[in-house]
Each structure stands twice: as C-alpha cells, then as structure tokens.
C-alpha cells in the first residue's frame, strides 16, 4: 500500500513465523490511514469503482499478479513466493450498507452509505497482510491469493468471484482459505472462532395469499385473506418449534407483510408475506424447503384461499473445516495467548458469503473484537464504530495463518 509513514520494514533474517507482529506494528499508521480513506469512500453492491481504485493503488508496485472482475469490481492479487509450496487464499470483503452514517467521526461517510459491518477494516487488514508477506517473498514457501470481494451484503459477490475463477487464479486450487471479520460488540483484540458450523445459511420464502376481496361491511360475501395470513404467521412459528429437532433448530421470521387493499372499507384480495430462514445444516434447510410451503398451502386451502410460494436460496452455512480450524486455534493461541482466544460454544445465526469459498476450500472464518472505548456497538447500525487499533493484529493473524499453512505443505 502507499506508504504514509515511510518505506515498509526490511525483513529480518530467518523464519517469518512469529516475526510479523513487530513488522505489522510499523505499518499501523499506514493501515489506519487507508482504512479511514476507504471508510469515507464507501460504496454498496457489486460495483465499487472508487474502492477498487484505492485498492489497486495500494497494491501497485508490490510485484503481484492482479486481475479485476468482469461483472463486478473485484480485485484478485496473486503473490508467488520464492520457494515451492501450495496455495492459500485470504479474503477481504469491500462493500458497505445503504445506511446513512450517524457516528460523527471526522472521516464519516456522507454519501448515504456506510461501512457499518467493518469491511473497511477487512480490506485494510488484508492489505497489511499483503505487505507483510510481500516483504518476505523470497522466503515464502508457496503462493497466496488475496481475494478482495464486493457484494458480501446480500449480492453473493463471493459466488460471482468463484464463477469468474478466483479459486484458480494461481493456477491451482488453494489448500486453505481464511478470512477475518471484525466485531464492534466484542472486546478489542479478542479472537473468536469455532470448529464446524460458524454462521447460518440464509434463505427466504416469498408468499402471495389469494382471497377474493370485497366490501369490509360484508365479509361473508367474499374470502378475506388477512385473518388467514395471521394463521400462516402462527403456523410458521409452530413449524420451527415442532417440526424441527431441538438440536438443529432454525430461525424463521416473517419480515414482510402487506396487502393490496388501499382503502379501509375494502377487503384485500391478496396478502404478500416473506419469511427469512436461517439454518445450521443442509438437512434442516431441506426439511424447511420441502415441508413448510406444503403445510402453509394446506392451511390456505382449508380457508378457501390459494397460496403461491417462491423459495429463494441465498448464502449457505459458513462451515469451518475442523482440522483446519484446530490449526488456526493453535496459531491464535501462539500469537495472543489462549486467554484472548474464544472458542464459541454455538454458531451465530447471522450469515456470510465467505461460505461459498468454504464450500470449495477447507478453511476458517475468525472474528476479532473491535469494540470502541465507549463500549460495544451493534453491527449494521448507523452508530456502529470500530476501533482501528486492531488493524496490525488483523494483518499479523492473516499473514501468520497463510505462512504457517504454506509451511505445512
């Protein structure tokens, strides 16, 4: 990245393992500066031209093989080491959210969009790892692919990048893939992960319930779909509680509800509903997808209505490969001490499109606490603030994970 405080540190002699932390600390001012520039220049979706421009500037001159996406503003950078070895992938997502920022920060975005999920820190952390590893290129035992990905917030940019060949950018598939996600609700510097399911799948069930409409004074002359819609909503909750195993539950929430009636004295002819579905296994998702629409259609039919449904599959379960995650946990314990490493007892019901990469390549997603001094802040909030003091730690962890995995061969 463009240096704001001098040239990158000269690599010390000997093995890199354990040496990255000191070198990352020397990059602190640079990492903070580029993170804040990215924060102010936030863009949303798959087309992020300004963000891409900043990343390309920061990667210039580091001897990387760089390609940009064809159908999205992605950046893929390949660093080939001086020693033979396998390929490892590091991911940093790029997009923000359509939220008007209300943090009052001096570098706050003013465009009506906001990095309320910390992707600006993700990019800066990966840029730091690029610098650390590039400085030790001759010693590097293999190749690292850096995946800068738009469209994480619902547009499946990770899947699009896979379709465009990011996993084959180095000429062979990675043996492992890693990503770090900051969390403004976790104490600063705490590292969090787990083996197996780390985050939930995300899907949706869109429904249109058809009645006949009519005069509100004479409901007996028509079929009013509104009370039937209420039955469907209650049935969704019963389904989750009684048709799914307690050990592998789902969270199903009705997130949209509207009718086509625009007058208080007119019965609706149709009601539109949408359910958001979160599961932790494909088996449970298959049960929900196969049985829930049928059950709801039966309730509609019993009340003289007709139900149309559309199932929309989105992000799969984010699954941390157990052997890889055990190695990750060992590295984290080495770097910061076991007291700063949390092994989650249960996965999160939020979702992540790094899941598409982890479907293809064994690896792990790790969270790092970035709560500000004022206390925990919720993600996806207009007030979300992240402490960028964690950037050297992010860069160190990513560089160490890549190096050690390459060294294992």
């Amino acid at each position: 990245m463009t240096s704001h405080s001098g040239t990158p540190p000269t690599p010390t002699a000997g093995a890199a393992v354990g040496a990255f932390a000191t070198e990352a600390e020397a990059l602190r001012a640079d990492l903070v500066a580029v993170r804040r520039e990215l924060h102010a220049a936030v863009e949303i979706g798959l087309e992020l031209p300004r963000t891409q421009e900043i990343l390309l500037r920061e990667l210039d001159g580091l001897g990387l093989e760089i390609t940009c996406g064809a159908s999205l503003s992605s950046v893929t950078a390949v660093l080939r080491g001086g020693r033979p070895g396998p390929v490892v992938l590091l991911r940093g997502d790029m997009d923000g959210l359509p939220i008007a920022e209300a943090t009052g920060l001096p570098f706050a975005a003013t465009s009506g969009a906001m990095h309320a999920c910390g992707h600006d820190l993700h990019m800066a952390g990966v840029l730091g790892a690029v610098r650390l590893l590039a400085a030790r290129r001759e010693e590097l035992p293999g190749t690292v692919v850096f995946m800068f990905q738009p469209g994480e917030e619902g547009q499946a940019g990770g899947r699009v990048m896979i379709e465009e060949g990011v996993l084959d950018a180095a000429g062979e598939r990675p043996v492992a893939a890693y990503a770090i996600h900051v969390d403004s609700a976790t104490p600063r510097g705490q590292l969090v992960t787990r083996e197996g399911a780390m985050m939930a799948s995300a899907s949706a069930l869109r429904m249109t319930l058809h009645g006949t409409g009519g005069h509100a004074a004479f409901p007996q002359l028509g079929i009013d779909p509104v009370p039937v819609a209420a039955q469907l909503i209650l049935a969704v909750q019963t389904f989750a509680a009684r048709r799914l195993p307690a050990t592998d539950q789902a969270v199903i929430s009705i997130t949209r509800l509207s009718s086509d009636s625009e007058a208080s004295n007119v019965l609706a002819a149709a009601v539109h509903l949408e359910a958001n579905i979160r599961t932790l296994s494909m088996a449970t998702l298959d049960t929900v997808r196969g049985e829930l629409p049928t059950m709801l259609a039966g309730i509609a039919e019993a009340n003289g209505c007709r139900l149309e449904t559309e199932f929309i599959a989105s992000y799969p379960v984010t699954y941390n490969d157990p052997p890889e995650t055990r190695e990750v946990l060992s590295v984290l314990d080495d770097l910061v001490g076991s007291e700063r490493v949390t092994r989650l007892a249960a996965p999160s019901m939020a979702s992540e499109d790094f899941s598409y990469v982890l479907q293809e390549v064994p690896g792990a997603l790790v969270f790092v606490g970035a709560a500000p001094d004022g206390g925990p802040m919720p993600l996806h909030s207009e007030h979300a603030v992240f402490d960028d003091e964690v950037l050297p730690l992010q860069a160190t962890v990513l560089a160490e994970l890549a190096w050690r995995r390459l060294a294992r061969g």
Side-chain angles (χ1 to χ4, degrees):
M1 105 190 144
T2 300
S3 179
H4 302 273
S5 59
T7 57
T10 301
T12 56
V17 173
F20 288 127
T22 300
E23 296 167 14
E25 191 59 39
L27 294 174
R28 176 183 294 277
D30 290 358
L31 298 178
V32 169
V34 74
R35 176 261 162 156
R36 296 183 179 188
E37 182 181 7
L38 288 163
H39 186 92
V42 60
E43 298 164 295
I44 61 175
L46 297 172
E47 292 299 326
L48 317 175
R50 176 58 183 151
T51 305
Q52 184 187 59
E53 179 184 357
I54 294 170
L55 291 175
L56 291 174
R57 182 197 72 204
E58 297 296 325
L59 296 170
D60 187 44
L62 294 177
L64 306 168
E65 300 168 16
I66 297 176
T67 56
C68 297
S71 60
L72 73 174
S73 300
S74 61
V75 177
T76 301
V78 178
L79 172 64
R80 298 194 186 275
R83 296 168 54 197
V87 179
V88 167
L89 181 143
L90 301 178
R91 193 285 306 255
D93 37 3
M94 299 165 58
D95 56 320
L97 288 155
I99 296 172
E101 183 164 356
T103 62
L105 294 169
F107 52 91
T110 58
S111 62
M114 179 185 176
H115 271 302
C117 201
H119 296 184
D120 49 337
L121 280 84
H122 300 174
M123 289 182 281
V126 174
L127 285 171
V130 174
R131 286 287 289 276
L132 294 174
L133 293 167
R136 294 181 173 272
R137 178 194 313 274
E138 296 308 314
E139 303 169 69
L140 186 66
T143 298
V144 183
V145 175
F146 301 96
M147 174 184 179
F148 292 97
Q149 176 221 308
E152 192 282 325
E153 298 289 357
Q155 294 82 27
R159 185 186 66 204
V160 177
M161 287 192 72
I162 290 171
E163 291 169 353
E164 292 195 357
V166 66
L167 298 182
D168 301 302
E172 60 182 278
R173 283 277 169 129
V175 296
Y178 307 112
I180 286 182
H181 198 303
V182 294
D183 183 10
S184 55
T186 297
R188 184 173 59 215
Q190 194 75 16
L191 296 163
V192 180
T193 193
R194 74 187 306 272
E195 297 178 33
M198 178 70 178
M199 300 180 76
S201 70
S203 304
L205 182 66
R206 290 181 182 166
M207 297 168 275
T208 301
L209 181 65
H210 296 278
T212 63
H215 198 299
F218 309 106
Q220 74 278 12
L221 301 180
I223 299 175
D224 183 1
V226 171
V228 184
Q231 292 185 46
L232 297 186
I233 293 170
L234 292 175
V236 165
Q237 308 309 315
T238 303
F239 181 92
R242 287 293 177 264
R243 300 287 287 273
L244 300 175
T247 54
D248 191 11
Q249 269 290 335
V251 174
I252 309 176
S253 304
I254 300 294
T255 54
R256 295 184 185 179
L257 176 64
S258 63
S259 80
D260 63 355
S261 174
E262 297 183 2
S264 64
N265 62 347
V266 176
L267 298 179
V271 174
H272 307 282
L273 306 93
E274 185 165 335
N276 182 269
I277 301 164
R278 307 275 172 154
T279 70
L280 295 171
S281 74
M282 285 305 299
T284 295
L285 181 58
D286 288 344
T287 299
V288 175
R289 182 173 188 170
E291 297 184 12
L292 181 59
T294 301
M295 184 188 77
L296 297 178
I299 294 171
E301 184 179 356
N303 286 273
C305 292
R306 178 174 58 88
L307 184 68
E308 293 179 354
T309 61
E310 179 187 7
F311 186 87
I312 302 166
S314 185
Y315 298 167
V317 175
T318 303
Y319 186 82
N320 283 352
D321 178 74
E324 281 295 337
T325 308
R326 287 192 287 273
E327 293 290 342
V328 167
L329 286 165
S330 176
V331 172
L332 300 183
D333 287 343
D334 267 358
L335 289 176
V336 301
S338 58
E339 70 281 356
R340 283 178 57 192
V341 180
T342 299
R343 290 153 168 84
L344 282 179
S348 167
M349 296 310 291
S351 59
E352 236 287 349
D353 87 342
F354 190 53
S355 54
Y356 290 113
V357 174
L358 295 180
Q359 279 189 321
E360 303 287 334
V361 178
L365 173 70
V366 177
F367 276 80
V368 60
D373 288 337
M377 302 289 293
L379 294 173
H380 291 211
S381 162
E382 62 186 359
H383 301 290
V385 174
F386 302 84
D387 192 331
D388 49 23
E389 290 294 301
V390 302
L391 286 170
L393 175 62
Q394 285 177 250
T396 297
V397 170
L398 288 167
E400 289 276 3
L401 289 175
W403 188 285
R404 296 197 198 192
R405 183 61 185 87
L406 291 177
R408 295 204 327 259

